[in-house]
Amino acid sequence: MTETAGTPSGPDEPPAPEGAPPEPKATYGPGTGASATGTGVVRRRRRWLRYTALGVAVLVLGAGGVGWAAYQKLNGNITTDTDAADELARFEKERPTALVNGAQNILLLGSDTRAGPGNREYGRDPGTQRSDTTILLHLAADRHSATAVSIPRDLMVDIPGCLRSDGSRTQPQFAQFNWAFEFGGTACTIRTVEKLTRIRVDHHMVVDFAGFKDMVDAVDGVQVCIRAPIDDTDAKVALPPGLRSLNGEQALGYVRARKSLGNGSDTDRMDRQQQFLAALVNKVQSNDVLLNPTKLYPVLDAATSSLTTDPGLASLRGLYDLVRGMRDIPTERVQFLTVPRQSYTYDANRDELVEPAADQLFTRLRTDSPVVVDPRRTESSGPGEARTRTDSPATDQPSASEQPPAEEPPSTDEDGDGSGEDGSDEKPDDPAPTPSPVPTFRGNTAAGSTCK
């Protein structure tokens, strides 16, 4: 229909008969796009509504398309480790059984491969790779705590016979832990960890150097406390002491530096890795990254682009379910520690477990029992040896020896025959059962990652 300016009738109104007196018209106040008398408002309002509805539909459909495209992109970023899944399935009968429904154990592996874009600058590629960092992350069934346990790369362990990339198999042997990744990749590492700890590994993730840097940059850097100057040419990092915000490149150097610090052992490096992860947890939670799609997308893009995972986590849905269970854990209940270890008896450059402390730790993780960490260390207790205490891990109550004596309850033995109120032979002053001691391990929480 061709519109004529000043025509008072709407599109659904028939024209008035010729010679008939004009019908009285309602008047409207002027508005945007309306004449001073408002006679075109009704039609234009209807048209505006139609255009608005069409525009909203286009935006919704467009946003849905963008959302789906983004979802598909992120999903496609993740590399699925089907080879490890197939190999683990072959040895299902020898793997430990999960004891607590709902608890999750995820093996996090940092690969030192020099293959691929962004990794060659850290050294030559010999065609092999080893696990530069290995962390067993335990998520409690109630999702009220998370415990990340570092496994030293130089720990001497029993490595089972593993499938090599060329189809051959290695012989079972006693060797340093990170050889397992070189022998047979993630499947061999998982089987080695399960043999060592008797803990069922539910999922695994592998990230390389470039992926680590990208994730740090995606959260705009991470602030850490550097207690001594770092100048390590091998790790390509030079940092002054103090509270510093590190970008991806600096962060990678910080967690890799070893030879220029302390005695050059891997122990201090694991401590720094744990401190960095604690600071990263703080950064993500304090900036509401997990609740802000604008902040979350670049993090997801960087993370998914660098991850190789088992089939159960190789999708946004799998990762979302994992993160959703972690996002409400308070930082003081996110704990970091290293397995109790000491220098290997026959080679000071290798490590061995400290017992019974290591078995205590593995048992508590396996049964989803609380784990308590304490940053304080005494020389007499060794580098990773557990101490014990009897207070509950959920409270800060003093130990039994520090508590004032309780008032003795009034006697209920009214008849003087030595029996209780219910006539039993148990005496009111019989000692209560002594609570089992809770092992305390050297470690830190994500809440204690700033300079003091």
Side-chain angles (χ1 to χ4, degrees):
M1 177 182 293
T2 302
E3 178 181 349
T4 303
T7 303
S9 59
D12 300 322
E13 298 178 27
E18 188 175 349
E23 292 287 337
K25 299 294 182 181
T27 59
Y28 302 89
T32 303
S35 66
T37 60
T39 54
V41 165
V42 173
R43 181 177 57 189
R44 294 177 182 177
R45 180 175 293 172
R46 289 173 182 164
R47 182 178 296 169
W48 180 85
L49 290 174
R50 288 198 298 271
Y51 288 165
T52 300
L54 178 61
V56 170
V58 170
L59 288 174
V60 170
L61 290 174
V66 171
W68 178 250
Y71 181 88
Q72 290 294 84
K73 178 182 184 299
L74 295 176
N75 243 5
N77 285 345
I78 306 171
T79 301
T80 307
D81 194 354
T82 54
D83 290 342
D86 293 342
E87 177 70 357
L88 291 173
R90 294 188 184 98
F91 294 92
E92 180 60 38
K93 291 184 178 179
E94 75 175 28
R95 300 184 66 194
T97 302
L99 299 182
V100 180
N101 187 35
Q104 292 277 295
N105 297 295
I106 301 107
L107 196 65
L108 310 177
L109 295 165
S111 168
D112 68 356
T113 179
R114 268 62 170 180
N119 293 322
R120 296 187 183 93
E121 61 187 278
Y122 299 101
R124 65 183 182 88
D125 179 19
T128 61
Q129 57 179 334
R130 296 184 184 177
S131 51
D132 199 55
T133 301
T134 303
I135 295 175
L136 181 62
L137 174 64
H138 175 79
L139 303 179
D142 60 10
R143 295 302 188 267
H144 289 166
S145 66
T147 303
V149 181
S150 295
I151 301 176
R153 53 186 285 170
D154 296 331
L155 185 69
M156 299 301 293
V157 297
D158 289 310
I159 300 176
C162 296
L163 180 66
R164 292 183 182 272
S165 58
D166 62 4
S168 64
R169 285 194 175 271
T170 63
Q171 294 297 316
Q173 57 191 288
F174 186 67
Q176 66 185 73
F177 173 74
N178 70 337
W179 284 15
F181 197 73
E182 181 179 0
F183 288 159
T186 50
C188 189
T189 303
I190 290 170
R191 292 177 60 211
T192 302
V193 169
E194 291 182 340
K195 186 178 182 67
L196 177 73
T197 66
R198 291 178 289 133
I199 296 171
R200 174 81 175 207
V201 175
D202 302 294
H203 299 290
H204 69 271
M205 297 182 183
V206 183
V207 62
D208 60 17
F209 292 157
F212 177 84
K213 292 192 300 182
D214 289 344
M215 283 190 286
V216 173
D217 287 334
V219 296
D220 296 326
V222 175
Q223 194 174 67
V224 297
C225 177
I226 301 173
R227 304 190 183 280
I230 299 176
D231 189 1
D232 193 310
T233 54
D234 288 344
K236 300 182 183 298
V237 62
L239 296 168
L243 193 61
R244 307 290 174 189
S245 182
L246 307 185
N247 60 28
E249 187 70 40
Q250 293 170 323
L252 179 62
Y254 174 76
V255 299
R256 291 186 64 231
R258 178 178 63 166
K259 296 179 180 178
S260 62
L261 298 174
N263 60 5
S265 71
D266 203 43
T267 303
D268 288 342
R269 180 164 70 168
M270 286 186 295
D271 286 345
R272 287 197 307 280
Q273 291 170 350
Q274 293 168 9
Q275 291 163 12
F276 182 85
L277 291 175
L280 178 59
V281 169
N282 264 315
K283 178 65 177 286
V284 170
Q285 289 198 358
S286 63
N287 281 21
D288 293 328
V289 171
L290 299 179
L291 302 177
N292 187 328
T294 303
K295 296 179 180 179
L296 181 60
Y297 181 82
V299 177
L300 287 176
D301 189 30
T304 54
S305 296
S306 62
L307 284 180
T308 299
T309 76
D310 63 279
L313 290 182
S315 68
L316 278 185
R317 170 56 61 183
L319 292 175
Y320 172 76
D321 289 342
L322 176 65
V323 172
R324 181 179 59 180
M326 297 179 60
R327 66 186 182 190
D328 294 328
I329 300 177
T331 53
E332 62 269 17
R333 299 307 302 271
V334 178
Q335 304 175 124
F336 299 88
L337 67 152
T338 300
V339 294
R341 42 72 57 204
Q342 64 187 8
S343 294
Y344 181 45
T345 304
Y346 302 105
D347 186 346
N349 294 317
R350 300 291 179 261
D351 293 329
E352 64 183 6
L353 295 178
V354 172
E355 297 294 2
D359 187 60
Q360 289 177 328
L361 173 62
F362 298 151
T363 298
R364 300 196 74 81
L365 295 175
R366 188 167 55 247
T367 58
D368 199 31
S369 301
V371 173
V372 182
V373 298
D374 187 338
R376 293 169 297 182
R377 177 196 298 183
T378 59
E379 294 300 325
S380 60
S381 67
E385 188 175 347
R387 300 186 301 275
T388 58
R389 69 183 191 191
T390 55
D391 55 301
S392 168
T395 66
D396 291 321
Q397 297 297 320
S399 64
S401 62
E402 298 171 333
Q403 293 178 346
E407 294 183 11
E408 192 168 322
S411 172
T412 56
D413 183 16
E414 295 180 356
D415 54 10
D417 62 358
S419 64
E421 187 176 27
D422 58 357
S424 66
D425 292 332
E426 184 178 352
K427 297 181 180 180
D429 58 353
D430 281 347
T434 303
S436 300
V438 177
T440 303
F441 302 90
R442 179 182 174 271
N444 290 281
T445 69
S449 60
T450 58
C451 278
K452 293 182 180 179

